[in-house]
Amino acid sequence: MSRGAPSIPALREEARAWLLRMSSGQAGPEDERALEAWLARSEEHRRQFAEVHRLWSELDQVPESTWLDAGPPAVRWRFRWLPHALAASLAVVLLAGGLAWRELAGTGQASSQWQYVTRTAELRPIVLEDGSAIELGPRSRMQVAFAPDQRRVLLQDGEAYFDVVRDADRSFLIDVGVGTVRVLGTAFNIHRNGNQITVAVARGEVSVSRGSHQVSLTAGQRLKLSQSELYRLEDLPSVEIATWRDGRRVFRDSPLADLVADLNRYSRKPVVIADTRLAGMRVTGAFDNFADVPAVLETIELSLPARVTQTPERVLLRAR
């Protein structure tokens, strides 16, 4: 290390400070540029940032409502995702640091790995190295690993529309926690909210496996599975598949809790059902601009026995 260069512990502290700053929700474009400049200073800068990010990613497996200890006991931080603008450079950082995603690579050695994260109300188009296209929905997290014999994706949370290039020599597998989606070449949508999974096929065929059970879906079919439900297969009009890509959301006899979970991917302020009587209430309807959160809340208030209350920190839904 050259004279005057910061020590490894000092760099680790700087990296932690950068991660806290970028995940605070207050960072802007200037902060992103400053972080990129900090990462460009040396390989050690990138390595320390990657290591800190890896540790925080492991903590991210704890439910989002859980408060996490990080640093002095008197200070409690809540984990938030990094801005998506850093996703590409962060993927390079992770690769440069030699971090392996074992859950994605399986028993083979992954030749290429990426991580993608989107922010509130953000849609992100992605083209993988094999030509497969993905559109990642708001507040979604996804990891991708390519090996010579397979292509693997871990959809950790959120929603994604896949248009997969056929490759008979390399299967395309998507881990959704409670099951695995296998495809060759097809187009389909996956929605994940915790351990509640919905798969809808727009073109071709996919198979969904869970333990020893496996079911195939063709175009115009939707499958729902969860921790408590093996699966439920139903027909779905093709015009309703992945409507979120055009800003629309369609709900058919869905619990209000599911609608609110999706709305929170667009809302800058958390929307909370403060009355358990509302959570299971069934809703049916279509929203042409689901990103217009005030309009959606107004519709909920007009259509359901619900009252919307705004506080500085959140939006509360209470029965009336």
Side-chain angles (χ1 to χ4, degrees):
M1 181 179 296
S2 62
R3 184 179 179 182
S7 64
I8 298 300
L11 278 180
R12 179 66 61 89
E13 286 303 314
E14 289 182 27
R16 185 179 293 112
W18 271 114
L19 189 56
L20 290 171
R21 182 176 178 180
M22 300 309 296
S23 60
S24 67
Q26 305 299 317
E30 291 185 1
D31 296 292
E32 295 180 14
R33 288 192 293 270
L35 173 55
E36 290 174 354
W38 186 87
L39 292 169
R41 290 182 186 176
S42 73
E43 182 179 349
E44 193 59 47
H45 281 71
R46 296 187 292 272
R47 183 180 295 112
Q48 293 304 320
F49 187 84
E51 177 64 14
V52 170
H53 182 271
R54 180 185 67 80
L55 294 173
W56 277 55
S57 295
E58 291 176 358
L59 288 177
D60 195 31
Q61 300 304 312
V62 177
E64 189 176 358
S65 60
T66 302
W67 289 83
L68 306 175
D69 285 326
V75 180
R76 299 179 73 84
W77 301 94
R78 191 177 181 185
F79 184 78
R80 292 182 172 87
W81 305 324
L82 286 175
H84 92 287
L86 291 171
S89 59
L90 179 56
V92 173
V93 170
L94 292 171
L95 287 169
L99 301 180
W101 293 331
R102 294 172 184 169
E103 68 272 27
L104 293 177
T107 58
Q109 180 64 39
S111 57
S112 301
Q113 304 173 43
W114 305 269
Q115 177 167 284
Y116 301 98
V117 181
T118 51
R119 292 180 291 181
T120 300
E122 177 192 8
L123 306 183
R124 184 179 181 190
I126 300 163
V127 179
L128 303 181
E129 66 176 19
D130 68 337
S132 296
I134 302 174
E135 187 159 2
L136 197 59
R139 291 191 64 180
S140 298
R141 293 170 292 163
M142 180 180 70
Q143 296 178 349
V144 179
F146 278 14
D149 59 341
Q150 63 180 227
R151 300 165 288 175
R152 298 185 66 91
V153 173
L154 172 61
L155 182 61
Q156 297 164 292
D157 190 33
E159 192 160 22
Y161 182 81
F162 297 82
D163 193 341
V164 177
V165 170
R166 183 180 180 86
D167 186 343
D169 297 325
R170 286 201 300 177
S171 57
F172 196 103
L173 304 174
I174 304 169
D175 181 354
V176 291
V178 296
T180 302
V181 179
R182 179 187 296 268
V183 302
L184 283 178
T186 182
F188 56 98
N189 190 80
I190 299 182
H191 180 285
R192 179 174 184 179
N193 179 23
N195 284 321
Q196 297 185 59
I197 312 300
T198 302
V199 182
V201 180
R203 186 187 74 248
E205 181 179 352
V206 307
S207 67
V208 179
S209 60
R210 183 178 184 183
S212 60
H213 298 275
Q214 182 172 309
V215 60
S216 294
L217 293 76
T218 58
Q221 289 187 311
R222 176 171 65 185
L223 178 142
K224 294 184 177 182
L225 69 158
S226 65
Q227 194 70 45
S228 59
E229 184 177 39
L230 181 59
Y231 68 83
R232 174 156 47 95
L233 187 62
E234 58 192 12
D235 293 331
L236 179 70
S238 57
V239 294
E240 292 186 15
I241 297 177
T243 56
W244 58 269
R245 300 166 66 204
D246 299 317
R248 299 179 62 246
R249 289 275 177 176
V250 179
F251 298 91
R252 291 186 180 274
D253 194 33
S254 302
L256 178 62
D258 289 356
L259 185 154
V260 169
D262 282 336
L263 189 62
N264 274 315
R265 300 189 186 281
Y266 296 84
S267 180
R268 305 292 175 183
K269 188 186 296 186
V271 180
V272 178
I273 299 177
D275 195 319
T276 55
R277 291 175 292 175
L278 291 175
M281 190 167 290
R282 316 300 291 192
V283 295
T284 296
F287 298 87
D288 290 332
N289 183 11
F290 199 67
D292 187 348
V293 176
V296 175
L297 291 171
E298 182 180 5
T299 300
I300 292 174
E301 196 169 33
L302 292 174
S303 306
L304 300 175
R307 184 177 73 255
V308 177
T309 303
Q310 299 273 353
T311 75
E313 296 81 21
R314 62 191 64 192
V315 178
L316 299 177
L317 294 180
R318 292 191 173 96
R320 62 182 181 200

